[in-house]
Amino acid sequence: MPSLAHVHSGSPDPQDIHADVWHAHALAGSPQVVQPTGDALLDAQLPGGGWPVGALVELLQPTGVHSEWRLLLPALARCGQGPVVLVGAPYLPFVPALAALGLHASRLLAVGATGTAQDGRLWATEQLLRCAEVDAVLAWLPQARSDQLRRLQMAAAEHHKLLFVMRPAALQTDASPAALRLVLQPQPPAQSPRLDALAVQIVKRRGPPLAQPLQLQARAARLAVLLAAEGAHALDRTAAHA
């Protein structure tokens, strides 16, 4: 029952506000299904406790940095049995190492998009989100406009897909319809001798701003092996095309 003070003033008692209403000072729950990230420190800072299923997640990285596998692999390995599709990936990951860590080669598909074929990447991403068999889409869309990203957000929501879009860190002050935006930065070797330690700044979430980046510690040695193999594989591909 509302207190007499609030009855007389005409303002609602905060205790009477429906539990589903989000307060800006608190981290929101999630009406959506979420996929745990595999890192308890990160889950604790995300609404609902994981990656939102049916929403656009934007990963922003400095030029030449590719930490998406470090961050996403645990969730992708456990998000289902259907395809995980890469659209316009700058290089392909080392598939045997991914399989050893739970993401089997049979689930991994790639849609090639060379040069500045932005429209082709956008079209392919939207069509994949509409495909019933697909569990997750990872798209590299450095030049996508806000209205184009909004279409992808709507498609992900309508078809309940995991969607991760990789874009340059220089765009972090631009408007975005993404439900969640994170800036990824590998830790300097002086702070961590392991290559897979990562600083994660959450620049947009349904909750109060995060004052300091999260310092995600290096994972098990098997992931370090993956990253080393992935780097060597990328170098081999570069040399082959030189």
Side-chain angles (χ1 to χ4, degrees), residues 58-122:
E58 196 173 348
L59 304 182
L60 304 160
Q61 304 181 78
T63 302
V65 172
H66 298 286
S67 296
E68 53 269 14
W69 288 110
R70 157 65 179 90
L71 193 67
L72 301 179
L73 180 58
L76 296 175
R78 296 172 174 81
C79 69
Q81 301 298 318
V84 172
V85 188
L86 317 182
V87 179
Y91 60 84
L92 297 179
F94 189 61
V95 175
L98 289 179
L101 292 167
L103 183 56
H104 297 290
S106 60
R107 295 186 61 208
L108 197 63
L109 301 176
V111 176
T114 59
T116 58
Q118 186 76 26
D119 289 345
R121 296 184 189 189
L122 288 161

Side-chain angles (χ1 to χ4, degrees), residues 50-203:
W51 301 122
V53 178
L56 167 59
V57 177
E58 196 173 348
L59 304 182
L60 304 160
Q61 304 181 78
T63 302
V65 172
H66 298 286
S67 296
E68 53 269 14
W69 288 110
R70 157 65 179 90
L71 193 67
L72 301 179
L73 180 58
L76 296 175
R78 296 172 174 81
C79 69
Q81 301 298 318
V84 172
V85 188
L86 317 182
V87 179
Y91 60 84
L92 297 179
F94 189 61
V95 175
L98 289 179
L101 292 167
L103 183 56
H104 297 290
S106 60
R107 295 186 61 208
L108 197 63
L109 301 176
V111 176
T114 59
T116 58
Q118 186 76 26
D119 289 345
R121 296 184 189 189
L122 288 161
W123 182 86
T125 301
E126 186 170 353
Q127 299 311 306
L128 287 163
L129 292 170
R130 298 178 184 279
C131 181
E133 292 81 7
V134 169
D135 283 331
V137 179
L138 283 65
W140 284 258
L141 300 171
Q143 299 169 337
R145 302 189 309 268
S146 180
D147 61 305
Q148 293 170 327
L149 294 175
R150 187 171 294 107
R151 283 182 60 90
L152 299 182
Q153 160 67 27
M154 293 172 63
E158 181 180 356
H159 299 282
H160 309 290
K161 304 294 185 184
L162 282 168
L163 171 61
F164 301 96
V165 172
M166 273 54 71
R167 306 187 75 212
L171 301 178
Q172 69 182 85
T173 58
D174 290 6
S176 171
L180 190 60
R181 304 183 83 200
L182 297 84
V183 178
L184 312 183
Q185 179 64 64
Q187 292 281 50
Q191 296 184 29
S192 174
R194 295 271 293 282
L195 296 176
D196 56 333
L198 192 65
V200 177
Q201 177 65 56
I202 301 175
V203 295

Side-chain angles (χ1 to χ4, degrees), residues 206-233:
R206 199 180 182 195
L210 191 63
Q212 298 294 330
L214 298 174
Q215 305 297 325
L216 304 188
Q217 299 302 310
R219 294 189 185 276
R222 292 172 66 194
L223 184 54
V225 170
L226 163 65
L227 294 172
E230 179 180 297
H233 187 56

